Amino acid sequence: MLNGASPIPVKDRALLIAFVFLSISTMGFLQPFVPLYLQSAGLDKPQIGWVLGLGSGLGLLMQPVWGRLSDVVDSRRPFIALCALGTGAAYLSYRQASGPMMFLLVTAIGVNGTMYLNGVGGVLVGRLVSRAQGGAAYAGYRVWGSVGYILVTLVTGFLLNPSGTKLDRATMDRVFSVGPWMFMIIAVLAWFLPDPKQAAARGGPREKAPLPPNLKWFLGSYFLYVFALYGASNFLSLYMKSVGGTPIWITTMFAGGVVCEVLVMRVSGRISDNYGRRPLLALTYMLLPMRLALYVLAASPPGVVAVQILHGLNFGVMGAISIALVNDLATDATRGQAQARMAIIAGLASTVAPIVFGRVADITGLRSMFLVAAGVAVVAFLVFLFKVKETHPAGKSMAERLGNNRWSWLDTPPVGPHRDS
């Protein structure tokens, strides 16, 4: 049954875990090695930024189409299968690609698929549980994706480690000859996923997703957050390589952050269900500029790994609670559209940021680029702090629980109503 009326059957839970595990684990070889592969193919930093940025932008154009169509036909399975097949084929073709334009085309197809696959898990879970349990429920599934990411990125690093510091194109061809087949497995799995029909799909007028003011402000702060975090992160592999990092250091860097992410995500959803979405999100917004600035001081592989551990305190919260917050502001009939909007915002930020930061890195260097990103993150924190209200239907005040009004800024903006739904 839907919306928490009864527990999700064991079989359906297992299928959802398998889907989230596989779809997120693919990022374990894509995130560390796509920028390095583009560099090994002869692209400079601005060209890498344009390929990653415009690739995200072109993929972004399809997200509202997938979200709207999946709501219209009230089925996500065919879209999951189609996106998985296209993404797998795109990244398999990396080995034959040459020049910025060819890499832009295949990257756009690949990013389009990964955007949809990473977002649709929240839609599937959101249709099976109640709003009050949404944070813990999604986090419980999403943590398995982080486990998959850790396994894939560490295995990839160990397989490439015999090459030592050698990270040429021929070496990394191994990554893109094996990894993309994971998407083909997802395409098959898609047809077995739990995807129940909603009553609104069987008749009556279609509900259009409203855009509450609170959601507008959150999406604005989220844009700046993603712009700062993932715009800079696109060049993190290049930075690690510049300070002497070998393949195993590069994958350990990403895996270390995701290990912390797993630990945080295991509790972040449950905490947000008890205390509300805003307190944890406020803390992760505050932490991001500090983390980005710390990269400037990390001049060795161990130092970069140590700073990257803080990623868990960023995405371990944002990766689960942002999905839950958007689900709070949506209905069963509009959840696909609402999540598509968040994917659009993330995609737009991912389009512009690599282009901007690629240019900044080329002119001022990678360390200065991290300082610019930290400045953007400060603005994101301020927008969230002063404009975004609580959305959870039963969030409990942190100020009351701690018995000190100094913590009231975690619960509500300084002015305006405390809650929006």
Side-chain angles (χ1 to χ4, degrees), residues 303-325:
V304 178
V305 170
V307 177
Q308 181 66 9
I309 295 295
L310 296 175
H311 177 75
L313 298 176
N314 288 135
F315 197 77
V317 174
M318 184 64 76
I321 311 307
S322 62
I323 296 287
L325 183 147

Side-chain angles (χ1 to χ4, degrees), residues 52-54 56-61 63 115 219 222-223 226-227 341-355:
L52 296 177
L54 287 182
S56 296
L58 294 172
L60 165 67
L61 293 176
Q63 298 311 301
M115 277 185 184
L219 292 179
Y222 183 70
F223 171 87
V226 174
F227 186 97
R341 280 172 172 160
M342 190 168 73
I344 290 169
I345 293 299
L348 183 61
S350 300
T351 298
V352 180
I355 297 171

Side-chain angles (χ1 to χ4, degrees), residues 196-256:
K197 298 289 184 181
Q198 297 289 346
R202 301 188 186 107
R206 283 270 160 197
E207 181 181 351
K208 293 184 179 180
L211 193 61
N214 198 33
L215 182 57
K216 291 180 182 178
W217 283 115
F218 174 71
L219 292 179
S221 68
Y222 183 70
F223 171 87
L224 294 170
Y225 186 97
V226 174
F227 186 97
L229 175 56
Y230 291 105
S233 294
N234 275 310
F235 299 94
L236 198 51
S237 295
L238 304 185
Y239 183 62
M240 173 61 93
K241 183 180 177 183
S242 73
V243 298
T246 60
I248 194 61
W249 273 116
I250 292 169
T251 53
T252 298
M253 169 184 65
F254 285 103

Side-chain angles (χ1 to χ4, degrees), residues 268-322:
S268 65
R270 186 169 63 252
I271 292 174
S272 80
D273 287 342
N274 289 332
Y275 295 95
R277 316 300 184 203
R278 183 178 154 89
L280 280 178
L281 287 173
L283 289 173
T284 196
Y285 271 94
M286 183 174 62
L287 174 66
L288 180 59
M290 301 178 189
R291 170 191 162 192
L292 291 171
L294 283 173
Y295 283 118
V296 179
L297 303 178
S300 66
V304 178
V305 170
V307 177
Q308 181 66 9
I309 295 295
L310 296 175
H311 177 75
L313 298 176
N314 288 135
F315 197 77
V317 174
M318 184 64 76
I321 311 307
S322 62

